[in-house]
């Protein structure tokens, strides 16, 4: 029989009679039995497969990760690898935690290791939460001698709630939701070390760059949007710096990509030492970085840019048996530089344009003027 779709050679396979079936009377010539009609089915039979022995001898889907897999081996024939069983540590301690349930920092875990913890927006707070609806000293969580935990409002503007109830002082129990102001929700829990570590690792992986450990681009973009809105609303200064490592491709081509990774890590660490706690440094992509400088005008931003440029130019970076140096180009933009209706995209685009101007003018410099 011809294959009308011309896909592969076709073999005529007669339909086998059912075993132990009773004899069927011969049909009339005008109505032949269906079982006697040859059926043309595309068949591809590997020569290496032995005849069936009554049970399946070939598993349906070998795992791609198992290099020792053989075609004739079935799962029931494989032995378990003998390894020494590690007895779980029964002495792991439980601790109280607060986990952010919403907002930019959703998933962040705060461990309540001490007897008292002040929560607020001020940098002096023990648990620092950056949100416009949270007071500088908003609430306090304390552990009493009997092991119970209590939440106390510290005269905040927008109040403290447990569930839907506004409180002054109230006991908090595992899985209670503590709300600070209109936006921030925290979940109170008692966890062991392993669970707390898992929560921290999940949060870190969602907000940090794996190579430099700086914040990633997604986190920076969310923070920039919030900071621009806050600065516009409260008439607060704000500046952004776009930073690029000069001739980074040449470094990779000359010394290799491992050397390039070393440059990224050491430059990142040095810049992190030069900014304030309230500032944000993020890896924007490749060899590009960005700094969000809160409560900072153009004059102070320019000073910070020059301090970073000079420090990196003097940094010795060990690569194999030698030390190399690198330089930075920076573009600086402050919020008043963009139109009153301009938002985070316009501010970032202006800093980026000034960065490219700095590179065009010779690199190893900053630019804070022009479009």
């Amino acid at each position: 029989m011809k294959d009308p779709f011309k896909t592969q050679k076709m073999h005529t396979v007669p339909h086998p009679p059912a075993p132990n079936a009773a004899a069927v009377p011969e049909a009339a010539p005008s109505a032949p039995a269906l079982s006697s009609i040859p059926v043309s089915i595309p068949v591809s039979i590997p020569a290496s497969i032995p005849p069936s022995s009554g049970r399946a001898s070939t598993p349906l889907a070998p795992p791609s990760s198992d290099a020792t897999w053989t075609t004739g081996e079935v799962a029931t024939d494989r032995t378990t690898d003998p390894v020494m069983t590690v007895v779980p540590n029964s002495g792991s301690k439980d601790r109280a935690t607060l986990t952010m349930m919403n907002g930019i920092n959703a998933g962040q875990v705060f461990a309540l290791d001490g007897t008292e913890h002040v929560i607020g927006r001020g940098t002096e707070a023990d648990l620092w939460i950056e949100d416009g609806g949270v007071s500088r000293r908003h609430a306090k969580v304390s552990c009493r001698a009997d092991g119970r935990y209590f939440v106390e409002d510290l005269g905040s503007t927008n109040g403290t709630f447990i569930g839907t109830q506004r409180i002054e002082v109230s006991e908090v129990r595992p899985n209670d939701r503590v709300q600070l102001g209109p936006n921030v929700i925290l979940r109170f829990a008692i966890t062991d070390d392993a669970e707390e570590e898992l929560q921290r690792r999940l949060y870190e992986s969602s907000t940090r760059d794996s190579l430099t450990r700086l914040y990633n681009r997604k986190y920076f973009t969310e923070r920039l949007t919030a900071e621009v809105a806050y600065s516009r609303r409260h008439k607060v200064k704000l500046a952004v710096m776009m930073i690029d490592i000069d001739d980074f491709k040449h470094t990779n081509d000359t010394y290799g990509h491992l050397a390039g990774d070393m440059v990224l890590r050491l430059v990142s660490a040095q810049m992190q030492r030069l900014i304030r706690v309230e500032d944000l440094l993020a890896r924007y992509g490749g060899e590009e970085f960005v700094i969000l400088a809160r409560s900072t005008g153009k004059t102070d931003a320019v000073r910070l840019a020059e301090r970073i440029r000079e420090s990196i130019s003097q940094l010795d970076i060990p690569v194999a048996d030698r030390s190399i140096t690198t330089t930075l180009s920076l573009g600086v933009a402050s919020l008043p530089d963009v139109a009153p209706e301009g938002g985070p995209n316009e501010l970032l685009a202006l800093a980026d344009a000034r960065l490219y101007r700095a590179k065009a003018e010779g690199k190893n410099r900053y630019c804070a003027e022009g479009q």
Side-chain angles (χ1 to χ4, degrees):
M1 180 176 178
K2 293 184 179 180
D3 180 3
F5 301 104
K6 300 184 183 300
T7 55
Q8 57 181 310
K9 185 177 179 180
M10 306 179 71
H11 302 269
T12 301
V13 182
H15 191 281
N20 302 325
V24 179
E26 184 177 355
S30 58
L34 292 177
S35 61
S36 64
I37 300 177
V39 181
S40 298
I41 303 174
V43 177
S44 177
I45 304 177
S48 60
I49 297 181
S52 175
S53 60
R55 68 178 180 90
S57 61
T58 305
L60 296 179
S64 59
S65 61
D66 191 349
T68 65
W69 188 275
T70 58
T71 307
E73 184 183 23
V74 294
T76 55
D77 296 332
R78 303 171 70 196
T79 59
T80 303
D81 294 335
V83 294
M84 181 175 292
T85 301
V86 178
V87 179
N89 181 12
S90 59
S92 60
K93 62 179 181 178
D94 292 339
R95 67 176 68 187
T97 60
L98 288 171
T99 303
M100 288 282 293
M101 301 298 293
N102 60 347
I104 298 173
N105 294 308
Q108 186 174 8
V109 180
F110 301 102
L112 305 177
D113 292 326
T115 56
E116 288 189 352
H117 298 81
V118 174
I119 309 173
R121 184 168 47 84
T123 55
E124 68 277 7
D126 300 311
L127 307 183
W128 183 67
I129 296 178
E130 181 52 41
D131 183 270
V134 175
S135 299
R136 298 184 66 85
R137 287 174 53 88
H138 194 104
K140 179 175 68 174
V141 182
S142 58
C143 178
R144 298 188 177 176
D146 57 3
R148 295 186 298 164
Y149 283 84
F150 285 79
V151 176
E152 176 185 355
D153 185 80
L154 299 179
S156 65
T157 301
N158 296 314
T160 302
F161 302 79
I162 294 183
T164 58
Q165 184 70 34
R166 184 164 183 168
I167 58 99
E168 296 297 328
V169 180
S170 177
E171 183 179 359
V172 60
R173 296 178 175 86
N175 295 321
D176 278 349
R177 304 291 178 95
V178 180
Q179 182 168 338
L180 308 179
N183 305 319
V184 176
I185 299 176
L186 303 167
R187 181 174 66 89
F188 178 79
I190 303 295
T191 64
D192 59 19
D193 293 340
E195 184 178 352
E196 182 192 351
E197 178 62 21
L198 174 61
Q199 291 176 343
R200 290 186 186 280
R201 290 177 62 183
L202 290 174
Y203 174 72
E204 290 289 319
S205 65
S206 67
T207 59
R208 297 279 184 174
D209 172 64
S210 59
L211 176 65
T212 63
R213 307 310 302 161
L214 301 180
Y215 286 109
N216 58 28
R217 180 171 177 169
K218 176 180 179 296
Y219 182 85
F220 165 79
T221 302
E222 293 175 348
R223 277 291 301 271
L224 177 64
T225 301
E227 290 293 342
V228 169
Y230 181 85
S231 297
R232 291 287 194 198
R233 185 167 59 251
H234 296 280
K235 309 299 181 185
V236 177
K237 296 178 181 180
L238 183 69
V240 168
M241 275 175 271
M242 287 290 294
I243 305 167
D244 186 83
I245 299 178
D246 296 328
D247 302 315
F248 185 71
K249 184 179 184 302
H250 175 74
T251 301
N252 275 336
D253 294 343
T254 303
Y255 304 104
H257 287 82
L258 292 179
D261 289 348
M262 179 65 72
V263 171
L264 290 171
R265 286 196 295 265
L266 293 185
V267 168
S268 301
Q270 184 65 13
M271 288 193 294
Q272 189 71 63
R273 297 186 189 100
L274 298 172
I275 64 174
R276 302 168 302 178
V277 174
E278 60 266 33
D279 296 335
L280 188 149
L281 172 62
R283 186 181 181 188
Y284 197 71
E287 67 272 23
E288 288 188 325
F289 302 87
V290 63
I291 293 176
L292 181 62
R294 304 173 69 247
S295 303
T296 302
K298 176 177 287 188
T299 301
D300 290 334
V302 165
R303 290 173 181 166
L304 176 60
E306 174 58 21
R307 187 161 67 248
I308 291 174
R309 184 207 64 80
E310 182 181 5
S311 177
I312 297 302
S313 67
Q314 299 173 357
L315 184 65
D316 289 328
I317 303 172
V319 173
D321 56 348
R322 69 183 71 186
S323 292
I324 64 175
T325 59
T326 190
T327 59
L328 301 179
S329 296
L330 305 93
V332 182
S334 59
L335 199 54
D337 291 342
V338 300
E341 65 276 8
N345 292 337
E346 289 75 14
L347 180 62
L348 195 61
L350 180 58
D352 194 43
R354 290 174 176 175
L355 165 64
Y356 277 94
R357 181 176 175 182
K359 296 186 79 70
E361 291 178 353
K363 304 177 183 177
N364 191 23
R365 65 190 65 209
Y366 67 85
C367 178
E369 302 294 338
Q371 299 298 322

